[in-house]
Amino acid sequence: WPDSLWLATAEPLEAQPALSESIATDVLIIGAGYTGLSAALHMIDQVSDITVIDSAQPGWGCSGRNGGQVNPGWKPDVSQLRRLYSGRDFDQFIDTVDRSADLVFDLIERFQIDCCANRRGSIIAGKGWRSVQYLAEWGRFWQNYGSPVELLDAGSMADVVGHSQYDAGLLDHRGGTLQPLAYARGLARACLNHGVNLFGDTPALSVERHGVGWRIKTPTGIIGCKRLVIATNGYTDHIWQGLAQSVIPVASMITASKPLPDDISSRIIPQRQAVAEYAGVPAYYRIDESNRMVFGWRGTVSGEIDSLDTSHLKSKAIELYPELKSVEWEYDWAGYVGITSHQRPLLLKLGEQAYAGLGYNGRGITMATMMGKQLAKLLNNENTSLPLEPLRPVPFHRFYPLGVAVRIITGHLRDRMIRPIKKAE
């Protein structure tokens, strides 16, 4: 487990045993993160025999390592998103995004998950004309859609975030924050309480067609199933040919301070919304329920977790909030985010009664939870609100570390060239 703030503060979950024998099940889900656990919970009323396995333990991957931001917004601009989803697919995707935060908070309430859930909103922040145009476009779009969002000017943003480095912001009242590992473990407890078979430390070594179902080999047994879901996102390995090549794992790092003194914490995001930047290399941050600054930014330039040197995160945080220069930082950790080349999540058909969901592009809490619901609908022969796609590996995937490095370097250069509008006047 990474030595994270989330691991230190989440209620412990008893380690789930490894599979020790061969079994048969109706539905097998590989991956006990948000996607897999949500899929299981959305099937409990229709399917009596569900098994979830994980190579580690529930929430071990990015479901237990992310920044805890419940953000229903999407990163491409509206026109780009219309190119990614045409016609009815666009309308259905927008409806899916619109409902995604509701789904998270509804599950928390339904299953009484203790995860410090806070629905005070999420903020997308930006500086420069391009950001102002982007935020205005999405603000008008969501307002016309009937969603509770507010466009904030530079002065309002300074009041909301506690510094004056942004030209505009979009406050989305659908969003909020939570303790991400506690949320994952709460989903796991709900699964166990409703009869789902959950095995930890049980990697899937191979998958093959067997009669009208599937046979999955693990180190200590064989699992036979009628229906199969692979829900491994940024931690996808080579269990299914081409699946790992459909998503690009990119490291994101987070650092967390010790609890801030009241005179400092009261000035930083006083209403405790989550903040994420619209930028070439966006930072994301918030103050948690213990008044710690939780600050996330890019990992290494290669996109891999080579070290946990978060000095660049601390420097970025201090650039925004000079008063943080005197505080102590206590936790550093990292995880892999699943990025797709076209910036859309993937609901994939792998074979007969075999599906996968992955590629959340930094919106994992909301979209992974929603993807679990979509996978459950597929297995129950119901219509989904995301298009079902065939597996298409990213071209030249083997060179993705070079592509990630180019993307980060050019993003940094663009960000450095931007000058805040208010300072230019």
Side-chain angles (χ1 to χ4, degrees):
W1 284 94
D3 185 22
S4 70
L5 171 62
W6 311 140
L7 182 64
T9 56
E11 181 181 347
L13 176 69
E14 182 178 354
Q16 299 307 297
L19 181 71
S20 60
E21 59 183 350
S22 295
I23 63 171
T25 188
D26 184 350
V27 172
L28 174 66
I29 299 170
I30 300 173
Y34 300 146
T35 305
L37 297 170
S38 173
L41 286 175
H42 281 99
M43 286 187 284
I44 56 176
D45 293 331
Q46 293 84 22
V47 182
S48 60
D49 190 7
I50 304 169
T51 300
V52 181
I53 64 172
D54 196 279
S55 61
Q57 290 290 322
W60 181 87
C62 214
S63 293
R65 307 180 189 217
N66 63 79
Q69 299 200 3
V70 184
N71 192 334
W74 206 248
K75 294 184 177 181
D77 57 35
V78 176
S79 59
Q80 182 182 0
L81 198 60
R82 287 188 185 277
R83 291 193 296 270
L84 295 174
Y85 294 99
S86 59
R88 185 169 177 267
D89 285 346
F90 174 81
D91 295 335
Q92 289 188 319
F93 180 74
I94 288 298
D95 185 65
T96 301
V97 172
D98 181 56
R99 296 170 182 267
S100 60
D102 286 341
L103 180 62
V104 171
F105 289 109
D106 287 348
L107 286 175
I108 291 170
E109 183 177 359
R110 176 184 174 187
F111 296 109
Q112 294 297 292
I113 298 174
D114 184 5
C115 59
C116 303
N118 162 2
R119 201 167 192 181
R120 296 176 183 169
S122 58
I123 298 170
I124 304 299
K127 64 181 179 180
W129 282 113
R130 177 69 186 93
S131 293
V132 170
Q133 292 168 351
Y134 166 88
L135 295 169
E137 182 183 31
W138 270 115
R140 289 191 298 267
F141 178 89
W142 284 123
Q143 287 171 351
N144 291 334
Y145 197 80
S147 300
V149 302
E150 294 180 51
L151 277 167
L152 305 178
D153 61 16
S156 298
M157 278 295 289
D159 293 338
V160 169
V161 301
H163 64 75
S164 58
Q165 296 198 32
Y166 298 131
D167 293 311
L170 187 65
L171 172 56
D172 192 329
H173 294 283
R174 296 170 298 180
T177 61
L178 50 72
Q179 212 277 27
L181 180 57
Y183 175 55
R185 287 178 171 176
L187 295 175
R189 287 190 189 92
C191 285
L192 292 168
N193 291 338
H194 288 82
V196 175
N197 303 306
L198 184 53
F199 295 100
D201 302 320
T202 303
L205 303 179
S206 65
V207 176
E208 62 180 12
R209 190 71 172 156
H210 182 68
V212 296
W214 299 93
R215 181 162 60 186
I216 294 82
K217 183 179 180 182
T218 76
T220 52
I222 302 293
I223 303 174
C225 67
K226 298 176 183 176
R227 296 176 282 180
L228 174 67
V229 167
I230 299 179
T232 45
N233 197 33
Y235 292 80
T236 301
D237 56 20
H238 301 288
I239 184 177
W240 191 285
Q241 185 175 3
L243 185 59
Q245 288 72 42
S246 70
V247 68
I248 300 168
V250 178
S252 186
M253 288 184 174
I254 301 180
T255 187
S257 72
K258 289 187 175 182
L260 302 176
D262 290 342
D263 63 325
I264 294 178
S265 66
S266 62
R267 300 196 302 268
I268 300 176
I269 324 176
Q271 299 303 313
R272 298 300 185 250
Q273 297 95 344
V275 180
E277 295 180 335
Y278 175 77
V281 185
Y284 53 96
Y285 53 93
R286 66 183 178 101
I287 300 294
D288 79 347
E289 61 281 354
S290 298
N291 286 341
R292 299 173 185 268
M293 168 60 81
V294 181
F295 197 94
W297 205 25
R298 65 158 178 89
T300 59
V301 174
S302 68
E304 299 177 348
I305 303 176
D306 295 329
S307 71
L308 285 179
D309 179 4
T310 61
S311 57
H312 59 297
L313 278 74
K314 298 177 177 70
S315 295
K316 176 72 171 178
I318 293 168
E319 178 185 329
L320 295 174
Y321 298 101
E323 56 265 49
L324 295 178
K325 189 173 183 179
S326 62
V327 309
E328 295 183 61
W329 299 84
E330 191 168 12
Y331 297 98
D332 299 307
W333 70 96
Y336 284 112
V337 179
I339 304 294
T340 56
S341 58
H342 41 54
Q343 296 185 301
R344 70 171 183 258
L346 295 173
L347 179 61
L348 302 175
K349 182 170 184 178
L350 303 178
E352 189 64 31
Q353 292 293 302
Y355 303 96
L358 69 171
Y360 309 123
N361 297 276
R363 296 292 185 264
I365 292 177
T366 50
M367 287 307 297
T369 303
M370 178 61 78
M371 184 65 78
K373 182 176 181 178
Q374 304 305 309
L375 289 162
K377 284 178 173 289
L378 277 176
L379 294 188
N380 289 328
N381 296 313
E382 301 174 17
N383 293 329
T384 65
S385 57
L386 293 177
L388 184 60
E389 305 181 50
L391 176 61
R392 295 190 184 96
V394 175
F396 308 110
H397 186 275
R398 71 178 66 180
F399 302 111
Y400 81 78
L402 176 61
V404 171
V406 171
R407 173 67 182 82
I408 290 175
I409 291 170
T410 57
H412 274 306
L413 290 175
R414 287 197 301 271
D415 291 341
R416 288 175 182 174
M417 293 174 65
I418 293 173
R419 293 294 180 265
I421 297 170
K422 55 186 176 297
K423 292 183 179 179
E425 294 178 344

